[in-house]
Amino acid sequence: YTLAKRSNKNSEATRERVKNFINAKETEEIIFTKGTTDSINLVAQSWGSQFLQSGDEIILSQLEHHSNIVPWQLIAEKTGAIIKVIPINEKGELIVEEYYKLVSDRTKMVALNYVSNSLGTINPIKEILKYAFERNIISMIDAAQASPHLNIDVQDLHCDFLCFSSHKMYGPTGVGILYGRRDILEAIPPYQGGGEMISNVSFEKTTYNDIPYKFEAGTPSIGDVIAFDQAIQFIESIGHDAIQKQENMLLNYAIDKLIDIKGFIPIGTSDKKTSVLSFLIDGIHQYDLGQLLDAKGIAVRTGHHCTQPLMDFLGIDGTVRASFAVYNTTDEIDVFHDALVQIVNRFS
């Protein structure tokens, strides 16, 4: 009926928008999921169950979010695969030379984030994936933190899988995408069974739908998918270059303002990072600091940011993280600075 057809048309328009946003070859290579976590689980279970064997290696990094660690641990336990970890330096940057040493004839997957959610570090993902591509190693990029900030070109990056979430891009929660190369998507089994992902069902045998629908079991979040299209259009209307310029200005302004505050300790000091300022104040617990800032109307994230292995490596239990977006202003950073000074003075 008319409304259903219109909804389907608008939903598929989002798929086309995502395809162009990341420069995929085909619209069919874009799968709608519940978000980045769902996408990574899909790859780990569907691809991993098909291609991983005992002794095969999965390379992750010290900077990964739990959603790019736990799914690989689950499939490693099932298959007997081994997880290797790229270490970082004191600035929160990947030690690429150590990555080269980790790669072996048994390496089957390199799964890394493009940008660290805790530190904002922008990883040299193109260099890392080029090395994997030349050795026929499958790769997956967690682009959740990169998608609102950086240009993404899956063909230029030579990645096999890439995923991100709508809510990181000013869109609704509960929606994300998985990009996968057609040949790989067609070679792996469905992640879930149900409606839409089938071609024909009988009690004797079921045949599966073509991609991308083979991986989209059940009723999708149609309204949120359509809203996601508007979020992408918002980013495209500004342009990643303009977004980066504004956010870099805000980050540098904030660092210059906050660095002289008594006890201020920046965490993650890479020269190449997005607009994330992770820090501690000596003598004030990060949870207390977060609550006191919240009381002044300033929203920051506190805790381990779903990166406990990273925090363990740094020898801390968490940080305060201020994230600046294209809509923020220097006046807001001034308010943030003054609030921090008042809090620090109270504890002095």
Side-chain angles (χ1 to χ4, degrees):
Y1 54 89
T2 301
L3 183 58
K5 290 179 180 178
R6 186 185 306 160
S7 298
N8 186 68
K9 178 182 177 182
N10 291 338
S11 178
E12 289 302 315
T14 304
R15 200 188 305 273
E16 180 71 17
R17 180 87 55 189
V18 172
K19 175 247 183 187
N20 294 330
F21 186 75
I22 62 174
N23 193 33
K25 283 185 179 180
E26 305 176 58
T27 308
E28 291 78 13
E29 293 178 321
I30 308 301
I31 299 164
F32 290 129
T33 66
K34 293 183 293 184
T36 303
T37 301
D38 193 36
S39 297
I40 297 171
N41 276 278
L42 190 163
V43 175
Q45 292 300 319
S46 293
W47 176 86
S49 64
Q50 188 84 348
F51 292 105
L52 286 177
Q53 298 179 0
S54 180
D56 287 342
E57 298 165 354
I58 303 161
I59 293 182
L60 309 178
S61 87
Q62 194 77 49
L63 291 173
E64 300 310 313
H65 189 282
H66 295 166
S67 62
N68 199 35
I69 298 174
V70 180
W72 297 111
Q73 290 175 329
L74 291 171
I75 195 64
E77 289 173 0
K78 289 182 180 179
T79 62
I82 299 167
I83 292 175
K84 292 184 172 181
V85 181
I86 307 171
I88 61 173
N89 61 24
E90 69 283 353
K91 297 175 70 175
E93 302 167 325
L94 297 183
I95 304 175
V96 180
E97 295 77 13
E98 294 300 318
Y99 160 67
Y100 296 144
K101 296 176 184 177
L102 290 177
V103 174
S104 76
D105 293 339
R106 297 304 301 271
T107 304
K108 295 294 169 55
M109 168 62 76
V110 175
L112 305 174
N113 61 35
Y114 201 145
V115 175
S116 165
N117 72 297
S118 290
L119 308 182
T121 305
I122 301 174
N123 292 321
I125 208 73
K126 186 172 182 179
E127 176 186 352
I128 290 172
L129 265 57
K130 181 176 183 292
Y131 193 77
F133 176 75
E134 291 170 347
R135 287 154 182 78
N136 296 314
I137 299 169
I138 299 298
S139 61
M140 194 212 70
I141 300 175
D142 169 0
Q145 307 299 326
S147 54
H149 306 291
L150 307 176
N151 284 304
I152 296 174
D153 186 330
V154 293
Q155 295 186 65
D156 182 58
L157 290 171
H158 294 298
C159 64
D160 300 295
F161 296 104
L162 181 139
C163 53
F164 52 79
S165 300
S166 162
H167 73 274
K168 300 294 185 181
M169 302 169 64
Y170 317 116
T173 57
V175 172
I177 68 98
L178 171 67
Y179 157 80
R181 269 182 26 214
R182 171 182 279 276
D183 59 319
I184 300 179
L185 292 177
E186 290 181 337
I188 61 178
Y191 175 46
Q192 296 175 320
E196 188 66 22
M197 52 75 64
I198 55 86
S199 176
N200 185 71
V201 175
S202 71
F203 282 109
E204 289 71 37
K205 182 177 176 59
T206 292
T207 55
Y208 305 125
N209 208 340
D210 297 331
I211 64 168
Y213 310 110
K214 182 174 80 170
F215 297 99
E216 294 180 354
T219 303
S221 184
I222 300 168
D224 291 328
V225 168
I226 294 171
F228 185 22
D229 180 73
Q230 295 297 311
I232 298 173
Q233 288 187 57
F234 168 73
I235 291 174
E236 291 178 333
S237 70
I238 303 171
H240 275 117
D241 290 343
I243 288 172
Q244 280 185 270
K245 183 178 179 180
Q246 170 72 2
E247 291 178 343
N248 287 340
M249 181 276 292
L250 292 169
L251 177 64
N252 292 330
Y253 184 86
I255 292 172
D256 290 342
K257 289 281 291 187
L258 272 58
I259 197 68
D260 292 330
I261 293 178
K262 182 181 178 182
F264 181 82
I265 306 169
I267 307 295
T269 56
S270 172
D271 294 330
K272 295 181 179 180
K273 60 182 294 180
T274 55
S275 50
V276 167
L277 181 56
S278 208
F279 66 96
L280 293 171
I281 298 291
D282 188 33
I284 308 177
H285 195 277
Q286 20 110 7
Y287 290 145
D288 295 332
L289 193 53
Q291 287 188 325
L292 291 168
L293 285 168
D294 180 54
K296 294 178 179 293
I298 298 169
V300 294
R301 173 92 184 258
T302 61
H304 53 65
H305 315 296
C306 294
T307 56
Q308 283 182 304
L310 171 60
M311 296 299 152
D312 290 342
F313 176 84
L314 295 172
I316 56 180
D317 61 359
T319 70
V320 178
R321 187 189 68 192
S323 304
F324 307 113
V326 68
Y327 50 74
N328 287 126
T329 66
T330 54
D331 287 343
E332 290 173 326
I333 293 173
D334 289 341
V335 172
F336 176 40
H337 167 269
D338 293 346
L340 271 176
V341 170
Q342 292 172 19
I343 293 167
V344 169
N345 288 339
R346 284 178 57 187
F347 280 81
S348 296

